Amino acid sequence: MKRHNLLYFALLLSLISWSCSDDFLDKKSLTGSSNETFWQTPEDAMMGLAACYDGLQNGFLYNGGPWENGFFFMDAMTDNGGHFNWDGWMAGYDITNGIHTPSSWQVGDFWKASYEVINRCNALITRIEGIDMDASKKATYKAEAIAIRALMYLNLTMTYQDVPFLTQDRGMDEAETGKTDRATIVDAIITDLKEAADALPVEPESRGHITRGAAWSLLGRVALYNEKWEVAIEYYNKVMTLGYDLADDYAALFTREGEADNEVIFGVRFEGPGLKEGSSFAAHWDTPLEAINGSLDLAKAYHCTDGLPTHQSPLYEEGENDLQNNRPDALRYNNRDPRLKATLFVPGMKWGNNTAEFYGGAAASRSTVYVYKYFDPFQSSSDSWDSGQDFYVIRYAEVLLSLAEAMVQKGDYVYADVTHLINEVRARVDMPSVEEVEGTALDRDALLALIKHERRVETAFEGLRLFDLYRWKELKQAVDNIEAERSLFSGIHQYFLYEQRNYRGEKEYVWPIPLAEVDANKNIDQHPLWK
């Protein structure tokens, strides 16, 4: 479903035509039934729930590709990287460049995709009440839809801030709804998630469904993103009682074999190849050269195996670096945090069965490094466009680092309690502890900076970096980092041409309401910074 405004979504509720044939729910598609005749049986409720999950697979949400800009690609709108072919006509390009307007593609389609999911959820939440079915199952389905809706509102308030807050199945006469302030929405979805969690199972009926742990983790994220530190701490601590753990192998976690690992708290499921239900966010053309670019700034952020940054560690080797002839030296990527080569494809690595070592700088490279996380170099190009690879929305490592951050942000923390959480994440990849490297007496600001760094290298290209920069108010520094990198390559080679970044002040922290919405709905006014 593309290019519809809120007026259309209200109509959508009375003319349901969702495609929701996801194998993970074992349901058939809805086929044009009206709301008045469809919601009759438990099977209808199951298909309605499948439609809610199906909406998350939108290319502007938890899927994506070279043209559609989902959460995976949103990291390329930050200092973590850039798109391999952002030449001015692909979604997200103008936001990345700081030249976007209310008419921008990404601004409009992210809004549409989010409200499509919200309206599917609202239809189920409202209509399931009239279905004669098992009461506990009804409560679970409803709770899942409420949690999915909360996820959408979290994302919307992190981008547009104040937005229409729709919580009921509505008709055309209620289509023109004004905005609700962000703080009110946040309070409401926190309440929703608390109540929904009580009706959700600890173990899912089948993989891909939202559980109590997912609802509590999402609640913690909502609280963290909105500086409600005590709430975040409370619910992240609840998550830690549910038996989640870190996967043994960080690199293997981001493969199809890792999808069922206990670290994955909630993932958007895909089935493929060959079923037309697959993902394409990690698609490639049998080489890394057409994959999404990472940045050298991100590559540099991965410390050496002694825990020290590259400019301090005796393990770091700069080597010769002949960029003019596309030969970036591979030595600099030795003796580094193992997460580096699990996240980025860097000079000297081999792609699948290819016997040659790639050095970057050719084809579409803009930085000499590419994204490797989620990519399968042994998968054929055609299969990679219809992959069964899930996208992880929440995993346990994020919970640990988010809890550490909330504790430090709140203040009055126990130092060892905070570092224990960080050390657990580091130990999984055999990186030394905080006490071994940074010591036992970091002040609050230094400890917070350490957590931010750990969060970046642990969760790169998982759709968190842009919102982190927004909430920390650190977008300007990220823009400066990429501009410095761009200047480094300027004049060396035609392929080393990062898209130019631009920072226009506070308006960069809020997306404008899409122009189509402002034009169609007399009750919606544009954000003051975008008038």
Side-chain angles (χ1 to χ4, degrees), residues 20-28 50 54 57 206-207 209 269-277:
C20 55
S21 56
D22 304 86
D23 285 7
F24 76 90
L25 288 172
D26 294 322
K27 309 295 176 285
K28 298 179 180 178
D54 179 81
Q57 297 178 343
S206 61
R207 188 160 57 88
H209 284 267
R269 290 213 56 195
F270 294 92
E271 293 292 338
L275 301 174
K276 305 303 181 184
E277 288 291 329

Side-chain angles (χ1 to χ4, degrees), residues 77-329:
M77 299 163 65
T78 74
D79 50 358
N80 278 359
H83 201 290
F84 74 86
N85 197 21
W86 270 354
D87 293 322
W89 54 273
M90 307 180 102
Y93 171 87
D94 46 3
I95 295 179
T96 306
N97 281 244
I99 58 172
H100 55 294
T101 71
S103 299
S104 293
W105 183 9
Q106 178 77 17
V107 167
D109 277 53
F110 184 73
W111 174 284
K112 295 166 191 173
S114 300
Y115 274 106
E116 182 171 338
V117 175
I118 287 169
N119 279 280
R120 294 182 183 193
C121 291
N122 283 343
L124 182 141
I125 292 164
T126 301
R127 301 284 178 166
I128 199 172
E129 294 298 338
I131 297 178
D132 183 13
M133 61 183 293
D134 178 81
S136 63
K137 192 168 288 291
K138 178 187 290 188
T140 299
Y141 286 4
K142 188 174 178 179
E144 289 181 65
I146 288 172
I148 293 170
R149 185 180 68 186
L151 174 62
M152 295 299 98
Y153 277 122
L154 172 61
N155 297 340
L156 287 167
T157 55
M158 288 300 294
T159 44
Y160 310 94
Q161 296 186 359
D162 301 343
V163 297
F165 187 45
L166 315 177
T167 59
Q168 295 292 323
D169 186 10
R170 308 175 319 143
M172 283 298 294
D173 58 337
E174 300 171 296
E176 294 188 358
T177 300
K179 295 188 297 183
T180 298
D181 66 276
R182 172 177 170 172
T184 299
I185 296 173
V186 167
D187 288 343
I189 61 177
I190 285 177
T191 298
D192 282 349
L193 287 166
K194 288 178 180 178
E195 295 175 354
D198 291 338
L200 290 167
V202 174
E203 296 292 335
E205 181 178 319
S206 61
R207 188 160 57 88
H209 284 267
I210 286 181
T211 60
R212 185 172 302 167
W216 282 345
S217 299
L218 179 56
L219 200 162
R221 186 188 287 182
V222 173
L224 184 77
Y225 283 9
N226 290 277
E227 300 185 357
K228 296 178 180 291
W229 312 127
E230 291 186 357
V231 176
I233 292 168
E234 178 185 357
Y235 281 89
Y236 281 135
N237 273 316
K238 284 178 176 287
V239 176
M240 293 181 66
T241 67
L242 296 179
Y244 295 107
D245 202 357
L246 299 177
D248 292 333
D249 188 330
Y250 180 84
L253 178 63
F254 299 95
T255 66
R256 294 208 64 184
E257 291 70 27
E259 291 172 349
D261 194 275
N262 194 40
E263 180 171 349
V264 180
I265 297 176
F266 177 58
V268 173
R269 290 213 56 195
F270 294 92
E271 293 292 338
L275 301 174
K276 305 303 181 184
E277 288 291 329
S279 60
S280 57
F281 62 86
H284 61 80
W285 286 269
D286 298 325
T287 77
L289 302 182
E290 300 292 350
I292 185 173
N293 277 199
S295 70
L296 290 182
D297 186 72
L298 173 61
K300 184 180 178 181
Y302 291 90
H303 292 170
C304 292
T305 52
D306 56 8
L308 295 174
T310 56
H311 67 278
Q312 295 179 356
S313 174
L315 299 177
Y316 180 67
E317 296 182 73
E318 183 72 35
E320 298 296 326
N321 198 31
D322 185 7
L323 291 178
Q324 187 68 44
N325 294 304
N326 299 337
R327 298 289 294 185
D329 201 291

Side-chain angles (χ1 to χ4, degrees), residues 19 63 76 81 196 252 360 399 512 516:
S19 170
N63 198 356
V399 168

Side-chain angles (χ1 to χ4, degrees), residues 477-496:
Q477 183 59 55
V479 168
D480 290 346
N481 291 345
I482 292 298
E483 279 299 287
E485 189 172 319
R486 187 171 177 269
S487 298
L488 174 68
F489 285 122
S490 179
I492 295 177
H493 195 283
Q494 62 173 329
Y495 291 120
F496 298 124

